Amino acid sequence: SVQENLIKASHLINMDDIVREGNETLRTVADEVSLPLSDEDILLGEKMMEFLRNSQNPVMAEKMQLRPGVGLAANQLDIAKKIIAVLIPNDPEIDENGNEVAPKEAYKMSEIMYNAKIVSHSVQDAAIESGEGCLSVDREVPGLVIRHARVTVEYYDKNNEKHKIRLKGFPSMCVQHEIDHTNGIMFYDHINEKEPWAVKDGLLIIQ
Ligand SMILES: Cc1nc(NNC(=O)[C@H](CC2CCCC2)CN(O)CO)c(F)c(N2CCN3CCOC[C@@H]3C2)n1
Ligand code: NI
């Protein structure tokens, strides 16, 4: 199966493993994974996180010709399971001489999430100022991707522990993008076709 091949110890997920627009799995509502998690589902989550790390490493990204990513959903690997991975780096700090220094915590968010779902959200909407892209979309789709500003998300981690977290800012946008994938939703479904860059009153713009 696709999953068996992806979780082989020697396999590193690469761009050839990521399905593109037109593949029906991108428009499929994925199944919840059964708990306790199977070894295969735990391994798949770890491989997805490894892909994100490699995609953010200049040497590996160049070697493997990876597009950089901060999130990935199993639907993008042609696997209709509710498994997502999120890896959001912290920005480097600037010292008194204006030099970049490594942040204390390398990552703002690093999580493999099973059966993630939004259980509540803000009335206020938000969008990333520059719009969004997707590793499964080989074209630019300009426009503000309108999302909830803040969300409360329930999910299980690789140790079968249940979590309920509140997200805002960029992590909120990223997790919503990934949860959307597990529900067959693409980022451009949230762009206003007539006025892609229209800023409605109250919209929070995220840099
Ligand atoms: C904003 C951004 N989107 C990148 N790509 N798109 C993705 O991640 C798609 C998911 C994101 C699109 C918007 C919200 C979620 C993948 N999606 O299709 C999965 O469903 C980036 F790569 C990126 N960063 C900033 C941090 N940088 C650290 C150093 O390494 C490079 C990296 C680049 N920021
Ligand atoms: Ni995507």
Side-chain angles (χ1 to χ4, degrees), residues 52 55-57 67-73 76 89 128 131-136 147 170 173-175 177-178 181:
L52 294 177
S55 80
Q56 294 181 18
N57 176 317
R67 280 182 59 188
V70 293
L72 190 68
Q76 296 178 276
I128 295 172
E132 297 187 11
C134 183
L135 297 177
S136 295
R147 298 189 182 283
F170 184 69
M173 302 294 106
C174 184
V175 169
H177 179 115
E178 304 318 330
H181 273 304

Side-chain angles (χ1 to χ4, degrees), residues 1-201:
S1 73
V2 168
Q3 187 165 351
E4 278 166 5
N5 286 318
L6 293 180
I7 65 176
K8 283 191 168 67
S10 60
H11 185 73
L12 297 178
I13 290 176
N14 59 62
M15 296 310 294
D16 294 338
D17 297 316
I18 294 176
V19 299
R20 312 299 157 90
E21 285 178 290
N23 182 301
E24 62 193 47
T25 310
L26 290 175
R27 286 304 191 182
T28 302
V29 177
D31 297 320
E32 292 201 333
V33 294
S34 48
L35 298 165
L37 297 168
S38 65
D39 292 345
E40 295 75 28
D41 288 347
I42 293 170
L43 285 169
L44 181 63
E46 289 168 348
K47 287 283 186 181
M48 291 166 68
M49 185 60 84
E50 181 187 53
F51 166 83
L52 294 177
R53 282 197 299 272
N54 289 337
S55 80
Q56 294 181 18
N57 176 317
V59 173
M60 286 305 287
E62 165 61 29
K63 225 184 255 183
M64 298 178 66
Q65 289 298 290
L66 304 180
R67 280 182 59 188
V70 293
L72 190 68
N75 293 61
Q76 296 178 276
L77 301 171
D78 210 13
I79 297 170
K81 290 185 178 180
K82 288 189 181 296
I83 305 173
I84 64 176
V86 175
L87 186 64
I88 302 172
N90 269 319
D91 305 324
E93 281 152 32
I94 310 291
D95 69 13
E96 54 285 352
N97 310 324
N99 302 319
E100 281 196 358
V101 295
K104 289 177 196 60
E105 292 284 312
Y107 297 104
K108 187 179 294 188
M109 185 171 186
S110 169
E111 194 64 79
I112 301 166
M113 305 168 88
Y114 295 90
N115 297 343
K117 69 180 181 193
I118 294 170
V119 294
S120 66
H121 61 80
S122 59
V123 170
Q124 188 179 28
D125 288 339
I128 295 172
E129 184 179 45
S130 51
E132 297 187 11
C134 183
L135 297 177
S136 295
V137 178
D138 294 328
R139 62 193 171 102
E140 297 263 322
V141 185
L144 292 174
V145 179
I146 308 300
R147 298 189 182 283
H148 307 306
R150 293 168 296 284
V151 288
T152 301
V153 175
E154 282 182 2
Y155 70 94
Y156 290 86
D157 66 19
K158 61 198 279 193
N159 301 312
N160 299 294
E161 301 282 334
K162 188 171 184 181
H163 297 258
K164 180 171 176 174
I165 60 173
R166 284 153 196 80
L167 297 171
K168 63 181 181 356
F170 184 69
S172 173
M173 302 294 106
C174 184
V175 169
Q176 288 181 71
H177 179 115
E178 304 318 330
I179 291 175
D180 268 355
H181 273 304
T182 68
N183 291 315
I185 298 165
M186 301 294 281
F187 74 92
Y188 43 72
D189 298 344
H190 302 296
I191 296 174
N192 181 321
E193 273 185 31
K194 290 179 192 48
E195 297 180 274
W197 297 106
V199 178
K200 271 171 64 173
D201 205 28

